[in-house]
Amino acid sequence: MTAGREWTTGLCWRCEADGVPVLWLGPAHSDDHGHAPFHTCEPCVRRIEELIADHVARRYAAT
């Protein structure tokens, strides 16, 4: 899931925990403000992975 990716210390943009190890997931885009780096902590990375897995499973179940 996160092998080889670099963790830094910062603010999780999902749960707003600050001063925790976070992983850059990619840019977040805003119509009003452009883009910014989207970082999340380990529990939030795991939850996002679960949501992605559920989405993919539903997509394949519908076909």
Side-chain angles (χ1 to χ4, degrees):
M1 168 173 64
T2 61
R5 298 175 69 186
E6 188 173 334
W7 292 83
T8 59
T9 300
L11 172 70
C12 176
W13 277 34
R14 185 171 182 271
C15 72
E16 298 185 33
D18 198 6
V20 297
V22 292
L23 183 67
W24 179 75
L25 298 184
H29 298 274
S30 164
D31 286 342
D32 295 329
H33 305 288
H35 67 278
F38 183 67
H39 290 89
T40 60
C41 64
E42 184 177 1
C44 289
V45 169
R46 283 195 310 259
R47 180 61 184 139
I48 290 169
E49 288 285 347
E50 291 169 358
L51 291 168
I52 292 168
D54 289 347
H55 170 80
V56 170
R58 283 191 310 275
R59 185 177 70 207
Y60 283 111
T63 58

